[in-house]
Amino acid sequence: MPKTIRNVYYKNLTYEKLMEAHIKSKKGKGYKKEIIQFNLKQEEYILWLYEQLKNKTYKHGGYTEFYVTDPKLRKIEKSKYIDRIVHRWVVDNFLIPVFVPQFIYNSYACLKNKGMHKAAISMQNMLKHCNMIWKEYYILKMDVSKYFDNINKNILLKILERKIKDKNLLWLIKEILFAQKRVKGLEIGNYTSQMFANIYLNEVDQYIKHNLKIKYYVRYMDDSILIVETKKQAKEALEKIKRFLKENLELELNKKTQIFKAKQGVNFCGYKINAYRMKIRDKGKRRLKKKIKFLKQEIKNGNIGSKQAKKYLAGHMGYIKYANTKNLLEKLFYVEK
């Protein structure tokens, strides 16, 4: 992988690649009105977008804001569909090939074949290994405070510019980054934002692995776990990481950051994990039970069919199957009338 990337923008700017980005962007969402309307004239729209990007007259169309409450209150900033095609094209053709190979092995979230389940399994494997080499050891669990809201786009741009020297690509990245005319805060909901967030925290990943020489470390977006032999090592690492985050990324750790003995197990990616068990946390059980109760009532009322209800539960089922609690499915799917 070359240290810098040059002359890649126009090589990857083709009708075919933009159409591919459209096909990927609409996957599983073809029933939505904006996508149905786009599909009616997709060839014309893609050609128009191609010309806009070729002549550098493309302007990001802004966002629609709304809030979600599950699992917690978040503001979502949704871009127009044609902009989402551009996001996909940028990530798949430039950001993934350039930056993902530089990530540490135990960086997870929003990466192909590296989701929350694999992060949890990796965490458990580390605990098993540390059980064999140490009699007692400690966990440093870190959580970045309001991560997406506090990312500094100017700092992010400097990180991107270390690898990307193509002025045309940088023009487009700036157009996407600063569409909201603010320096702080990435837009939750953007396909680009997920990758930008990983690139941003890759800075601290590299620091922990190569400067602090921490062998047992895993990160899932802004949640990360570090395992060391002594409490003193954990405290020293924490102070250095806090300083690095503040001085280099303008980030801080929140109150959920803590140091504790590994024999307690650790909450990570929705599971309570120790070396020999992986249990679903009570909060996850309550959320799933509530969802099942709601879907049963919707089926009873004739609002949805069982097939559609099964689709809604697909993600939950994937989550459950990695837990090894006996009779978990039976317990979770029992709902009192």
Side-chain angles (χ1 to χ4, degrees):
M1 179 65 65
K3 290 183 179 180
T4 58
I5 305 302
R6 304 174 189 273
N7 304 319
V8 292
Y9 181 81
Y10 287 111
K11 288 180 182 178
N12 286 286
L13 180 56
T14 66
Y15 172 88
E16 289 76 18
K17 288 195 173 184
L18 289 173
M19 181 61 77
E20 182 182 0
H22 160 51
I23 291 168
K24 288 181 178 178
S25 297
K26 72 176 182 178
K27 189 175 180 180
K29 302 170 186 174
Y31 59 90
K32 294 190 175 181
K33 184 179 178 180
E34 61 179 338
I35 297 177
I36 291 171
Q37 290 175 338
F38 190 95
N39 283 337
L40 293 174
K41 295 184 177 180
Q42 62 180 15
E43 291 85 2
E44 293 177 37
Y45 285 132
I46 293 296
L47 282 171
W48 177 85
L49 185 57
Y50 170 80
E51 291 297 327
Q52 292 284 305
L53 292 169
K54 179 182 177 182
N55 300 325
K56 293 169 66 175
T57 53
Y58 166 79
K59 294 289 181 184
H60 196 282
Y63 294 86
T64 301
E65 297 180 2
F66 62 95
Y67 289 84
V68 296
T69 56
D70 188 16
K72 61 183 179 180
L73 183 66
R74 287 180 183 271
K75 182 173 80 169
I76 304 297
E77 295 171 282
K78 181 182 176 183
S79 55
K80 294 180 179 179
Y81 180 68
I82 199 161
D83 294 316
R84 300 205 295 275
I85 294 173
V86 176
H87 298 169
R88 172 72 71 164
W89 178 69
V90 168
V91 171
D92 289 357
N93 291 283
F94 305 108
L95 299 185
I96 288 177
V98 173
F99 289 96
V100 171
Q102 308 301 316
F103 290 173
I104 65 168
Y105 180 79
N106 284 317
S107 170
Y108 295 87
C110 310
L111 300 172
K112 188 176 181 181
N113 299 320
K114 299 191 83 174
M116 64 185 295
H117 306 124
K118 288 202 173 180
I121 291 168
S122 178
M123 179 75 261
Q124 188 176 51
N125 288 337
M126 287 185 187
L127 292 171
K128 287 178 182 177
H129 182 73
C130 290
N131 268 7
M132 292 189 290
I133 62 174
W134 293 323
K135 184 177 180 181
E136 186 175 81
Y137 57 100
Y138 287 80
I139 288 173
L140 166 55
K141 187 175 189 297
M142 298 177 290
D143 193 337
V144 176
S145 179
K146 297 180 180 178
Y147 179 43
F148 274 81
D149 291 339
N150 287 318
I151 288 176
N152 186 308
K153 293 180 179 180
N154 286 332
I155 294 174
L156 172 60
L157 186 59
K158 288 179 181 178
I159 293 169
L160 295 170
E161 287 175 339
R162 293 205 302 256
K163 289 287 291 180
I164 299 173
K165 302 299 181 182
D166 188 311
K167 292 181 180 179
N168 299 304
L169 178 55
L170 286 173
W171 157 78
L172 180 56
I173 286 173
K174 290 175 188 176
E175 179 63 34
I176 295 169
L177 260 185
F178 297 101
Q180 289 289 66
K181 311 297 181 186
R182 68 175 184 238
V183 171
K184 279 243 178 172
L186 285 181
E187 296 73 27
I188 297 177
N190 268 9
Y191 189 61
T192 47
S193 293
Q194 297 170 352
M195 184 55 62
F196 286 149
N198 263 328
I199 291 169
Y200 204 73
L201 272 192
N202 179 58
E203 296 294 297
V204 75
D205 292 346
Q206 300 296 333
Y207 175 73
I208 289 170
K209 295 295 287 186
H210 301 297
N211 293 74
L212 300 186
K213 309 292 184 183
I214 302 294
K215 187 174 182 181
Y216 305 107
Y217 170 73
V218 58
R219 178 174 65 81
Y220 184 85
M221 198 49 76
D222 57 333
D223 290 334
S224 53
I225 306 288
L226 182 154
I227 306 174
V228 290
E229 186 176 5
T230 68
K231 192 171 186 178
K232 181 183 177 183
Q233 289 173 324
K235 285 182 175 179
E236 289 175 351
L238 176 58
E239 290 308 309
K240 290 176 181 177
I241 291 166
K242 285 166 68 176
R243 187 163 56 248
F244 180 90
L245 285 169
K246 187 173 183 179
E247 293 176 356
N248 295 274
L249 301 175
E250 294 186 4
L251 296 175
E252 294 182 352
L253 298 174
N254 65 23
K255 293 179 181 178
K256 290 190 283 185
T257 296
Q258 55 186 316
I259 295 169
F260 50 91
K261 290 182 179 179
K263 65 182 180 182
Q264 297 175 218
V266 60
N267 292 327
F268 187 57
C269 291
Y271 299 98
K272 178 74 173 181
I273 305 170
N274 66 27
Y276 306 105
R277 285 197 311 275
M278 191 182 299
K279 298 172 68 176
I280 290 181
R281 296 176 63 188
D282 290 341
K283 185 167 66 174
K285 291 179 185 179
R286 288 193 297 270
R287 190 181 301 130
L288 178 56
K289 201 167 185 178
K290 184 178 178 182
K291 173 65 75 69
I292 293 167
K293 189 173 183 178
F294 169 76
L295 290 174
K296 281 187 174 183
Q297 190 60 47
E298 288 290 284
I299 292 171
K300 189 176 180 180
N301 294 340
N303 296 328
I304 62 171
S306 58
K307 194 172 183 180
Q308 191 176 357
K310 190 175 180 181
K311 285 184 179 179
Y312 284 125
L313 286 173
H316 291 287
M317 296 305 293
Y319 171 54
I320 291 168
K321 75 177 183 179
Y322 287 92
N324 52 11
T325 303
K326 188 178 180 181
N327 297 324
L328 181 62
L329 282 173
E330 289 83 352
K331 289 179 182 179
L332 284 176
F333 280 80
Y334 172 71
V335 181
E336 292 183 356
K337 294 182 180 180

